[in-house]
Amino acid sequence: MFKNIASDVLGLSDIGAIISPKDFHKVESDDYILYEDGEKIYFLIKSKSDEYCFTNYALIHLDGASATSKKRLLKRYSYKNNPITDVTLETAGTVDLDIEIKFNIGNVPYSIDVIKQDIEGLKDLYKALVKISSIQVENQHYLQYAEKSLNLASQSLKPYTHNSSPEEQFKAINLYSFNWLKKTRQQFMKKDFSEIFDLFINK
């Protein structure tokens, strides 16, 4: 117990290590993966008090108050609804014990310390997060362009008189617009980033 308290005071309990894929089933995060929906763990950092689990769908954070507490707060941030921004990697100096990766997911800032021996693995995570961030920014631009395009198209339509009533015409246009927007959002609000993690993590 006194060792755990000392670790908290020195800040050592916050330094994590990268967990090997063969040990993913041993961590607590594994209990919260949506395997039934195709979710998969790609990268996991574990410290004495926290787990940072990167899946193809989300960041799952098991937040421990301290190394002396067994309580955990489960936080889940899907990439679809929480864009990743401001990814940085801070390497270790001569006397440093750790390296650090920082990023925002949605409006939540993260700063994760990792033992400096795991620098190569953390570089791979850095590249994956940077690529995901780039795709999310590009897709957001495409989504905005698509919505503007639909608005311009709808404004340019003139009322037409055929056999159908104005009400039927309105329903037809509204249904088409809804389906078109739904399809566009599914295309550009990406849920699954498996191919990015496979490219940079599972090399």
Side-chain angles (χ1 to χ4, degrees), residues 139 181-191:
N139 282 350
L181 280 174
K182 180 180 178 182
K183 181 179 179 181
T184 303
R185 290 180 73 84
Q186 287 174 341
Q187 180 180 357
F188 294 119
M189 293 187 69
K190 193 172 178 63
K191 170 185 175 181

Side-chain angles (χ1 to χ4, degrees), residues 99-167:
I99 50 183
E100 187 175 13
I101 189 166
K102 296 181 180 180
F103 57 90
N104 295 328
I105 185 160
N107 296 320
V108 181
Y110 268 92
S111 178
I112 306 173
D113 296 322
V114 179
I115 56 173
K116 64 180 180 181
Q117 292 90 334
D118 284 347
I119 180 62
E120 295 305 319
L122 207 62
K123 287 179 182 177
D124 293 338
L125 177 63
Y126 167 81
K127 289 187 284 187
L129 295 183
V130 166
K131 184 61 177 178
I132 290 173
S133 177
S134 174
I135 292 172
Q136 289 173 327
V137 169
E138 187 175 8
N139 282 350
Q140 186 60 34
H141 287 159
Y142 282 134
L143 183 60
Q144 291 172 357
Y145 296 155
E147 292 175 347
K148 287 180 181 179
S149 175
L150 181 63
N151 288 333
L152 288 173
S154 63
Q155 291 171 12
S156 66
L157 287 175
K158 295 181 179 179
Y160 57 92
T161 56
H162 290 293
N163 295 328
S164 59
S165 67
E167 182 180 359

Side-chain angles (χ1 to χ4, degrees), residues 3-201:
K3 288 183 179 179
N4 288 336
I5 294 174
S7 294
D8 275 349
V9 172
L10 295 172
L12 300 180
S13 63
D14 292 329
I15 300 179
I18 296 173
I19 302 301
S20 171
K22 65 181 176 62
D23 294 321
F24 283 167
H25 68 285
K26 299 178 182 178
V27 299
E28 289 183 64
S29 299
D30 183 64
D31 296 333
Y32 306 103
I33 304 301
L34 305 178
Y35 289 112
E36 299 84 352
D37 191 38
E39 188 171 29
K40 176 183 176 183
I41 300 176
Y42 275 91
F43 200 91
L44 199 142
I45 299 169
K46 182 177 176 60
S47 68
K48 289 184 178 180
S49 57
D50 293 271
E51 287 181 11
Y52 305 93
C53 178
F54 296 85
T55 77
N56 49 326
Y57 293 169
L59 166 63
I60 297 172
H61 178 199
L62 274 173
D63 187 357
S66 69
T68 59
S69 174
K70 293 186 179 297
K71 290 184 178 180
R72 295 287 186 271
L73 175 62
L74 178 66
K75 303 175 183 178
R76 181 182 180 92
Y77 305 97
S78 69
Y79 308 133
K80 181 178 180 180
N81 298 317
N82 298 278
I84 295 172
T85 58
D86 300 325
V87 185
T88 62
L89 179 65
E90 183 178 300
T91 59
T94 306
V95 297
D96 293 323
L97 297 174
D98 63 316
I99 50 183
E100 187 175 13
I101 189 166
K102 296 181 180 180
F103 57 90
N104 295 328
I105 185 160
N107 296 320
V108 181
Y110 268 92
S111 178
I112 306 173
D113 296 322
V114 179
I115 56 173
K116 64 180 180 181
Q117 292 90 334
D118 284 347
I119 180 62
E120 295 305 319
L122 207 62
K123 287 179 182 177
D124 293 338
L125 177 63
Y126 167 81
K127 289 187 284 187
L129 295 183
V130 166
K131 184 61 177 178
I132 290 173
S133 177
S134 174
I135 292 172
Q136 289 173 327
V137 169
E138 187 175 8
N139 282 350
Q140 186 60 34
H141 287 159
Y142 282 134
L143 183 60
Q144 291 172 357
Y145 296 155
E147 292 175 347
K148 287 180 181 179
S149 175
L150 181 63
N151 288 333
L152 288 173
S154 63
Q155 291 171 12
S156 66
L157 287 175
K158 295 181 179 179
Y160 57 92
T161 56
H162 290 293
N163 295 328
S164 59
S165 67
E167 182 180 359
E168 290 173 335
Q169 294 173 25
F170 174 80
K171 287 181 179 179
I173 293 172
N174 189 54
L175 179 61
Y176 176 85
S177 299
F178 175 82
N179 289 333
W180 191 86
L181 280 174
K182 180 180 178 182
K183 181 179 179 181
T184 303
R185 290 180 73 84
Q186 287 174 341
Q187 180 180 357
F188 294 119
M189 293 187 69
K190 193 172 178 63
K191 170 185 175 181
D192 188 347
F193 285 91
S194 296
E195 75 278 10
I196 303 302
F197 285 107
D198 282 330
L199 179 63
F200 292 106
I201 305 297

